[in-house]
Amino acid sequence: MTDIKKTREWEVFEYIVGAQMACILIFFVSFSLGKGFSVSFSHSLALITGTIGVVAAFLYRFLERLLNQKKILYIKVAYVMFPILITAFVLLQVPHGPYGKQVAILLPVIVAATVLGKNGGLFIAFLGSAFLTWSSVFFDRKPLIQALEQNLILISVTFLMGWFIGSITNLEAESRKRLQENLDELQGEIERRKFAEEQTFKLSRIVEQSPASIVLTDTDGNIEFVNPQFTRVTGYASEDITGFNISRLGSEPAEFYEQIYEEVREGKEWSGELLIKKKNSDSFWEHTYFTPFKNAAGMTTNFLKISEDITEKKGLQLEMARLDRLNLVGEMAAAIGHEVRNPMTTVRGFLQLLGKKELYSTDKEYFTLMMDELDRANSIITEFLSLAKNKAIEKKMHNLNSIIRSIAPLLQADATKSDYNVVFELAEIPDMSLDEKEIKQIIFNLVRNGIEAMEHRGTITIKTYRDAGEVVLAVQDQGKGIPDDILSKIGTPFYTTKETGTGLGLAVCYSIAERHNSRIEFKTSPDGTQFFVRFKGSCEAD
Ligand SMILES: Nc1ncnc2c1ncn2[C@@H]1O[C@H](COP(=O)(O)OP(=O)(O)OP(=O)(O)O)[C@@H](O)[C@H]1O
Ligand SMILES: [Mg+2]
């Protein structure tokens, strides 16, 4: 930008200097023709005038950049007036040269036309011609008409010069002005673009650094763009997923998504919670907004999907709901458990008594069956009672690994009867305050679920390790996993999918975990399930 301006100004300056040089040349030639090539007083004056003209032109261009408009005007006027005065002085000093005084009139005209433009040039041409005519009348004592006639050609040339050079100067000034305007406009445009570019850059950073995952799809739900947060959350890179329909990530059927698309196509917004599958087939919950993405003409050309991972929040909600249910059931259990047990103990006692009588010797097996059933009912009540929130427990400092080792033979003995095996991976962990019986119960329940899920074939892995300041007990199976539709029911008392199950196993685990200031989490896939019991703050003492 500045470079263009400089070059243009330099061109103008060169043009002016060129005009000044031509001026000197004309002057010099005119004097030479008049007086031969000897350097006379008039020659010297002409040279000085021309030189001063060039220096003044240079100064003028130079000062123009440094001075304000008003001062520049003074300089312009002085620059025009100075040659006039010098010319007048030359003409008065050398009045009798044959061509000198006539041609000398061209100098101020050229200078004025160059600096002031057409009007200035013509005005000085008029002044010069008047002066020329007057000097003919005054010095040569000629009548006015004759004086005019004698100088007619020179006067015409003077006016022509003033008009021609002045027009070029005007043209140049005009084009300079226009160029400046264009440059200003261009500068404005560049600044506007720069601003727009900055805004666009910021916008792209917002999308890139957004903590929400952003997806742009066409109006059929086919993915066109995903932001880095989407990749972080789902594991799908942009190139893996572009072109796929967004419904493929969801757990809901494609028709469900089709309904959402229909709504958004109509210009409405859809928001709700969706269960999404990651690349590694884990699932997570997200709160999603689907909004129409419109072009400048207001037409919906795409869908914008903005979502936030709410798995943790959802987990907490589920946990709270589960604990509420557990507590309720636990309180009920505590209240009625004893009341039911006492009559049952009485009934069992009488059955035992009657069963020994000779009278019922043929029905002995029925008595045994009745008592077995009562025992089973009793054990369910025992388990049920352990759901009571304020159940008395006996916590002591134990090492979780020792507890696991103490029941290992039992777990392995069972395993040898079937086709599965139990593997232990126990890392070094600190002692914790635990109720031994309850911890054994958790391990038994989780291992039993695992074995049942594997249909008694495969490997159960029991691990202990430290993670993020917590001691973790993990029980992993190679079963078929927990189906999505029952995920939210896991841990609900009496929820079971097994014919002979009571649905209390996990409820008891959750209840025990709560009494141990720990929490239960799980990961499940068609290749197996892993339950974790995380003992909060258990490693803080280290
Ligand atoms: N490791 C697992 N793999 C697959 N599904 C499981 C697993 N653990 C639990 N489940 C599912 O959760 C349900 C509830 O488990 P829970 O242990 O509470 O009851 P149950 O095993 O059915 O009965 P109970 O433990 O009282 O004999 C099970 O019926 C099963 O569908
Ligand atoms: Mg179970």
Side-chain angles (χ1 to χ4, degrees), residues 75-142:
I75 290 173
K76 278 184 175 179
V77 172
Y79 182 45
V80 174
M81 291 313 288
F82 189 67
I84 292 179
L85 293 175
I86 295 286
T87 310
F89 182 68
V90 170
L91 290 177
L92 292 171
Q93 280 295 310
V94 203
H96 303 298
Y99 297 103
K101 63 181 175 188
Q102 288 90 338
V103 180
I105 204 72
L106 286 175
L107 176 68
V109 173
I110 292 171
V111 171
T114 317
V115 176
L116 300 177
K118 196 163 78 182
N119 291 346
L122 290 176
F123 178 68
I124 298 300
F126 169 76
L127 281 186
S129 306
F131 182 76
L132 205 63
T133 315
W134 168 79
S135 70
S136 288
V137 173
F138 188 77
F139 292 113
D140 304 342
R141 310 241 169 247
K142 286 186 181 155

Side-chain angles (χ1 to χ4, degrees), residues 449-506:
N449 277 349
I451 295 167
E452 285 164 359
M454 303 193 303
E455 289 165 357
H456 300 264
R457 261 187 304 272
T459 304
I460 296 279
T461 313
I462 301 177
K463 287 187 210 171
T464 55
Y465 55 92
R466 294 179 192 207
D467 180 44
E470 296 176 334
V471 168
V472 183
L473 162 69
V475 177
Q476 185 175 11
D477 65 53
Q478 296 175 330
K480 54 195 175 304
I482 308 174
D484 283 349
D485 53 331
I486 72 158
L487 283 177
S488 60
K489 298 189 185 106
I490 290 297
T492 305
F494 300 113
Y495 178 79
T496 180
T497 56
K498 299 167 192 165
E499 262 174 43
T500 53
T502 59
L504 280 175
L506 283 178

